[in-house]
């Protein structure tokens, strides 16, 4: 079950955290994984080492998802080199937490540029080779806060809610082309993104989580693998929540 032999997958922001776990999980299932990174080549190379250690194959590819031309060129190159792009994981994301009254225009623009526009640019470029094969999987990383809200995350939660709207629309737009589009909405996952949160905040989050612990990147990656697999062929436009029961 959930094998990805002969499939080519692109994971944005694959150099660490959830993106890295997705890269190694997809590679372990047999996919050729392209590890996208923005700036940290050494970290991306480390992910690639882990991909190979998982028995898989892959390569690293630098571009910022905020640059539509760069994303388009990279995805065209990948599709040309491999003759296909089967799976796109829009994982790259940033969070700039701030109470609304302190939020700057720059924070709004940077967050939406990465989390929303970045997913749109990559999806737009990936749809073309997927349409040629009449098959494809796009999986977008949303968040529990898109549906639950969270004080201090007005901009981030709005961007992650936008990702759900994007997911549902693309699911409808490309269903007839054999392409499914789903979102994975993690709860609190132990990564660099969450490491700076104060201890009291983490304790409070765990107290609000029925499974009474934080999640791991591998637990999110397992949900991504399911949605990327042939077995998920009848699942599209959905939000798969991986949050320990925080939002039910
Ligand atoms: P992380 O900060 O550890 O990793 C994010 C990755 O995205 C980094 O490698 C970063 O370099 C990359 N990135 C940022 N901007 C980029 C750009 N312009 N182009 C290419 N890459 C870029 O975060 P994470 O915790 O692994 O989160 C991964 C995804 O899951 C994000 O979309 C995040 O919003 C989402 N998420 C995380 C949690 C959590 O608790 N950690 C919860 C819900 C959703």
């Amino acid at each position: 079950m959930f094998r990805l032999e002969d499939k080519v997958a692109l994971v944005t922001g694959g150099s660490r955290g959830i993106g890295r776990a997705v890269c190694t999980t997809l590679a372990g299932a047999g996919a050729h994984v392209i590890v996208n990174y923005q700036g940290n080549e050494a970290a991306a190379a480390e992910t690639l080492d882990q991909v190979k250690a998982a028995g898989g194959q892959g390569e690293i590819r630098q571009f910022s998802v905020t640059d539509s031309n760069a994303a388009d060129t990279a995805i065209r190159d990948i599709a040309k080199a491999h003759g296909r792009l089967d799976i796109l994981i829009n994982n790259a994301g940033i969070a700039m937490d701030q109470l609304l009254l302190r939020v700057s225009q720059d924070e709004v623009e940077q967050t939406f540029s990465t989390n929303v526009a970045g997913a749109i640019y990559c999806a737009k470029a990936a749809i073309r080779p997927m349409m040629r094969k009449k098959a494809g999987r796009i999986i977008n990383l949303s968040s529990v806060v898109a549906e639950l809200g969270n004080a201090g995350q007005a901009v981030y939660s709005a961007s992650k809610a936008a990702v759900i709207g994007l997911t549902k629309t693309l699911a409808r737009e490309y269903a007839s082309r054999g392409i499914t589009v789903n979102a994975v909405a993690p709860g609190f996952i132990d990564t660099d993104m969450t490491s700076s949160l104060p201890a009291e905040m983490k304790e409070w989050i765990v107290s609000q989580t029925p499974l009474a612990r934080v999640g791991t990147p591998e637990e999110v990656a397992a949900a991504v693998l399911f949605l990327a697999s042939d077995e998920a062929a009848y699942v599209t436009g959905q939000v798969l929540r991986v949050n320990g029961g925080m939002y039910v």
Side-chain angles (χ1 to χ4, degrees), residues 94-183:
I94 58 171
M96 303 171 101
D97 297 350
Q98 203 62 280
L99 292 174
L100 179 67
L101 292 178
R102 293 196 190 131
V103 166
S104 69
Q105 181 173 338
D106 184 54
E107 286 164 350
V108 175
E109 288 174 0
Q110 276 194 54
T111 305
F112 273 77
S113 176
T114 306
N115 298 3
V116 186
I120 292 172
Y121 298 148
C122 292
K124 185 180 169 193
I127 286 282
R128 290 192 200 98
M130 290 178 182
M131 279 172 58
R132 283 199 287 275
K133 294 280 178 200
K134 296 188 173 56
R137 296 276 184 271
I138 298 177
I139 296 144
N140 299 319
L141 268 292
S142 180
S143 168
V144 66
V145 300
E147 298 180 299
L148 205 56
N150 191 27
Q153 293 197 305
V155 181
Y156 178 74
S157 64
S159 75
K160 291 298 178 179
V163 165
I164 295 179
L166 173 68
T167 300
K168 293 185 179 188
T169 292
L170 296 186
R172 289 184 186 275
E173 218 168 281
Y174 295 100
S176 64
R177 311 300 184 116
I179 300 166
T180 68
V181 187
N182 291 286

Side-chain angles (χ1 to χ4, degrees), residues 40-65:
N40 194 339
E41 186 176 350
E46 209 175 296
T47 300
L48 186 58
D49 288 345
Q50 294 185 13
V51 158
K52 289 177 179 163
Q57 289 188 341
E59 60 202 87
I60 61 172
R61 178 84 201 207
Q62 191 282 333
F63 66 89
S64 170
V65 298

Side-chain angles (χ1 to χ4, degrees), residues 5-69:
E5 267 88 19
D6 304 323
K7 301 268 165 75
V8 175
L10 168 63
V11 182
T12 67
S15 60
R16 68 182 203 189
I18 292 170
R20 174 176 280 178
V22 169
C23 288
T24 55
T25 299
L26 299 187
H32 180 96
V33 177
I34 292 124
V35 182
N36 158 255
Y37 67 100
Q38 182 181 22
N40 194 339
E41 186 176 350
E46 209 175 296
T47 300
L48 186 58
D49 288 345
Q50 294 185 13
V51 158
K52 289 177 179 163
Q57 289 188 341
E59 60 202 87
I60 61 172
R61 178 84 201 207
Q62 191 282 333
F63 66 89
S64 170
V65 298
T66 61
D67 182 340
S68 69
N69 286 330

